Amino acid sequence: MRGAFVRTLSELARADHRVVLLTGDLGFTVVEPFADEFPDRFFNVGVAEQNMVGLATGLAEAGFLPFCYSIATFAVLRPYEFIRNGPIAQQLPVRIVGVGGGFEYGSAGFTHYGLEDLGVLRMQPGITVVAPADAGQAAAALRATFDLPGPVYFRIGKDEKSVVAGLEARFRLGRAELVRSGRDVAVISVGAATVEAAAAVSELESAGVDAALSVVSTLNPAPVEDLLDLLEEVPAAVTVEGHYVTGGLGSLVAEVIAEHRVDCRLVRCGVRQLPHGTTGSTAFMQERHGLTAGAIASAAQEATRKALSPST
Amino acid sequence: MSRSEGWAASGLAMSGSATTTDPASAPGAEHLRQLSPEAQVRLMAKQIRLSILEQSARAGVGHIGSGLSVADIVAALYARVLRVDGLADPERDRFVLSKGHAALALYAAFALRGWIGREQLDTYCGDDSLLGVHPERDLPGVDFSTGSLGHGLAMAAGAALAARLQGSHRRVYVLLSDAECNEGSLWESVMFAAHHRLGNLTAVIDLNGQQALGKTEAVLDLAPMAARWSEFGWDAVEANGHDPFELLSALQGGTGTRPRVVVARTTFGKGVSYMEGQLRWHYWPMSPEQYSQALEEVTEAP
């Protein structure tokens, strides 16, 4: 996804001299094509994310469109207050690009996991929060948000190859994309976790469960109407995110259900325990935290059972 | 328009103040133009101090000492240094008040430049006002919102980089507090500006030795300040932060190839005897008696 993102950024930069790419000394094999083509508009600012966001704020005030690139947790959490008091409060078009949410950095361990980036930015009014599901959607999301006058956060996955069948690289800002409809349960996913969510929907289909798959690729502004249309038609729903269950997609869907009194049972798949003390591959960590296709399918079955017996 | 005429041409917009100056004796544009640059700065600084006292007394708020500390620096910038031909002009010099809690000094300068009216200045710290203790970009003339220390230099460095990329000759000035240099983020920007040789960037440090809970030398001693910056590659100069001549030569000089820092030695609460060097004037408002004494001292100062 990150390769496609930077390739698309290069295409846009060819036509638009406002584009500047800053990196906090990360992006080996990803940012070089941009750096080679636009050496005057590429800055490795060093391992200094706060300064990177501050620089971008200064550049944006003068009319530039600066992109700040780092690993998701470093791009968002270290300079969080600079993002808040800079481009958000001053409504300037800074782009934050956070790579590798959830457990995508696997054995790198806890410091490298992006488990609250979507939540902490979603709670800020005035920033668009985007998390594409695959490379095609990442490119589409970049194009669709290119001219937004305020700041944008992109959570971009590391996986270049996986394609979410049926998504067809669709992206509409503030909308959810319905990949498959279904009457028994709705599987709602965000970002790279959509690959496992889609596999779970296939498993459910084999098991005779008619599951819908909706991809929420914008958390801010939230696709409330699309979610309502979906949730009002099913007895149960499961959210899927490489993120803590609090603050991100699961919380968003819970808010929609509660605020609109939707009669739908929700189960949130995501990280519930502090993932410290044990590390391993992305697949291992996803298994450990219930984010594999099998675990998601089980959660969906559980949600439908709970919906049928409301006392549980 | 030269750097000086902006202020001189606008005259003393605050001259209608009932309590601080007599309209009949307020200097007009013609009078200002006849003054030396240093005298212009001195005059503007006095007006800024009177305005700080008056607005703080009216609003019943603190942060008086910080405003008085930077009054001469802000006056030098807004009377003689900053080139601003229009608040929306993309080629205007940029200014970042990184120590945002001295915003009242900035608002006073805006009023003197005629950018805000007396009526708006009088909303300072009121309900539904654009003029809070810390400045926000929604107010024309404020290039960047500030208030959280350690943030302004990064934005200023970005603004300087932007000017270079656009081939512009505009300059960027940023006013820092000495205590602000406690912030690690500030040193990220110090390194960046030096590495990229941002010669169009000038930082001014208000070296008043005072921070929120004590003296800087007792809390986190950064002396010698200028040496620290020059070790990082900045062109560091020291100046008496209350002397218009020293301030102007420091602010208007520079190598053009390295970022410049002006370490301006100042006195917290400068101009009001009972406030000078006294921590409580970081917080407290004045009593009516204190206000009268302060006005008298500032008015009668040379």
Side-chain angles (χ1 to χ4, degrees):
Chain A
M1 221 186 285
R2 53 187 177 171
F5 188 89
V6 173
R7 277 194 300 281
T8 307
L9 187 63
S10 294
E11 282 172 32
L12 292 163
R14 257 167 237 146
D16 195 322
H17 293 276
R18 296 175 304 158
V19 175
V20 175
L21 178 58
L22 310 175
T23 173
D25 202 33
L26 285 170
F28 181 63
T29 72
V30 178
V31 297
E32 291 86 346
F34 186 101
D36 291 344
E37 186 171 354
F38 310 103
D40 298 340
R41 288 190 275 156
F42 172 80
F43 295 92
N44 179 356
V45 304
V47 193
E49 296 80 9
Q50 296 173 93
N51 185 49
M52 175 162 68
V53 173
L55 289 171
T57 307
L59 285 163
E61 191 276 336
F64 286 98
L65 197 55
F67 286 72
C68 301
Y69 184 100
S70 190
I71 290 177
T73 181
F74 308 143
V76 174
L77 297 189
R78 176 65 64 92
Y80 184 52
E81 194 220 26
F82 276 46
I83 298 172
R84 173 189 185 268
N85 293 340
I88 294 178
Q90 303 179 54
Q91 282 301 289
L92 290 166
V94 170
R95 301 335 188 196
I96 309 292
V97 184
V99 171
F103 295 118
E104 286 201 85
Y105 279 94
S107 55
F110 180 72
T111 53
H112 285 54
Y113 298 153
L115 299 172
E116 57 281 88
D117 54 327
L118 298 173
V120 297
L121 286 177
R122 182 174 85 86
M123 72 163 69
Q124 296 283 345
I127 182 167
T128 300
V129 176
V130 171
D134 62 15
Q137 198 184 37
L142 174 55
R143 292 183 187 282
T145 56
F146 189 69
D147 283 319
L148 288 179
V152 181
Y153 173 57
F154 301 95
R155 182 206 255 205
I156 300 296
K158 287 167 68 187
D159 181 350
E160 304 292 343
K161 295 192 184 107
S162 297
V163 173
V164 176
L167 183 57
E168 313 293 345
R170 278 174 299 165
F171 176 86
R172 292 170 298 167
L173 184 63
R175 301 292 304 273
E177 301 298 336
L178 191 64
V179 172
R180 185 191 190 284
S181 12
R183 292 163 169 228
D184 295 334
V185 62
V187 176
I188 307 168
S189 71
V190 63
T194 300
V195 172
E196 290 296 320
V201 166
S202 298
E203 282 190 23
L204 288 165
E205 193 177 6
S206 306
V209 178
D210 188 19
L213 176 62
S214 175
V215 179
V216 172
S217 31
T218 314
L219 287 170
N220 236 2
V224 175
E225 293 301 319
D226 288 339
L227 286 172
L228 278 175
D229 289 347
L230 177 72
L231 295 164
E232 280 168 350
E233 300 301 320
V234 287
V238 176
T239 52
V240 183
E241 56 194 319
H243 195 274
Y244 286 130
V245 289
T246 304
L249 178 67
S251 288
L252 166 64
V253 172
E255 289 159 18
V256 171
I257 288 173
E259 287 190 331
H260 295 84
R261 292 188 68 168
V262 180
D263 185 12
C264 179
R265 186 71 188 235
L266 175 67
V267 170
R268 294 174 295 159
C269 289
V271 183
R272 290 174 181 271
Q273 309 291 331
L274 187 67
H276 72 120
T278 304
T279 185
S281 65
T282 302
F284 171 82
M285 294 303 290
Q286 287 178 338
E287 176 93 43
R288 180 59 67 89
H289 292 273
L291 283 166
T292 57
I296 295 162
S298 298
Q301 301 266 28
E302 180 200 346
T304 52
R305 272 196 305 275
K306 282 183 173 174
L308 292 171
S309 48
S311 59
T312 57
Chain B
M1 187 182 283
S2 78
R3 283 172 183 240
S4 63
E5 284 170 347
W7 180 45
S10 68
L12 277 175
M14 300 203 20
S15 59
S17 161
T19 51
T20 57
T21 53
D22 175 1
S25 65
E30 195 52 43
H31 172 64
L32 279 173
R33 264 193 289 273
Q34 289 166 2
L35 295 177
S36 68
E38 292 76 23
Q40 287 183 24
V41 172
R42 201 168 284 118
L43 185 59
M44 190 187 235
K46 178 180 272 202
Q47 294 288 330
I48 288 174
R49 284 200 167 86
L50 290 171
S51 187
I52 288 168
L53 294 173
E54 185 181 20
Q55 291 300 325
S56 299
R58 185 195 52 71
V61 296
H63 280 306
I64 304 170
S66 298
L68 295 175
S69 178
V70 300
D72 303 286
I73 298 165
V74 170
L77 287 165
Y78 280 89
R80 297 292 310 181
V81 176
L82 287 170
R83 206 163 13 194
V84 180
D85 292 340
L87 299 185
D89 177 9
E91 285 305 305
R92 73 194 186 280
D93 285 348
R94 300 297 197 273
F95 176 63
V96 186
L97 182 68
S98 195
K99 50 172 297 176
H101 54 283
L104 181 51
L106 189 67
Y107 303 147
F110 283 13
L112 290 161
R113 288 292 299 252
W115 297 349
I116 61 175
R118 173 71 203 208
E119 199 174 309
Q120 190 172 15
L121 185 62
D122 282 344
T123 68
Y124 173 66
C125 284
D127 290 340
D128 204 22
S129 173
L130 254 177
L131 278 55
V133 168
H134 304 95
E136 292 199 34
R137 208 169 81 91
D138 301 76
L139 179 68
V142 176
D143 295 323
F144 293 95
S145 305
T146 49
S148 180
L149 298 175
H151 187 200
L153 187 59
M155 294 191 287
L161 183 63
R164 174 187 288 177
L165 290 174
Q166 290 167 337
S168 166
H169 291 295
R170 66 179 184 266
R171 295 191 56 86
V172 181
Y173 297 84
V174 53
L175 179 52
L176 309 162
S177 85
D178 47 1
E180 183 175 6
C181 298
N182 294 177
E183 292 276 7
S185 58
L186 177 135
W187 296 99
E188 294 182 3
S189 309
V190 166
M191 290 185 279
F192 180 90
H195 179 82
H196 289 275
R197 304 180 81 79
L198 296 177
N200 55 353
L201 174 64
T202 299
V204 186
I205 299 175
D206 172 31
L207 195 83
N208 62 27
Q210 188 65 61
Q211 61 190 94
L213 283 183
K215 298 288 182 189
T216 54
E217 62 182 5
V219 176
L220 207 54
D221 193 2
L222 286 171
M225 187 65 87
R228 291 179 190 270
W229 288 67
S230 58
E231 281 298 315
F232 273 103
W234 284 58
D235 167 34
V237 293
E238 296 193 42
N240 176 342
H242 301 304
D243 183 304
F245 181 80
E246 286 193 28
L247 279 174
L248 287 177
S249 29
L251 289 168
Q252 290 168 337
T255 63
T257 57
R258 284 191 294 154
R260 163 159 278 210
V261 60
V262 178
V263 178
R265 295 181 307 274
T266 58
T267 301
F268 185 80
K270 174 72 177 179
V272 178
S273 57
Y274 62 86
M275 290 190 189
E276 291 189 359
Q278 297 300 314
L279 173 61
R280 59 182 173 277
W281 298 105
H282 192 69
Y283 301 99
W284 289 354
M286 295 168 283
S287 70
E289 298 71 33
Q290 287 168 328
Y291 176 47
S292 302
Q293 185 190 337
L295 273 187
E296 194 179 321
E297 288 185 19
V298 170
T299 306
E300 288 177 4

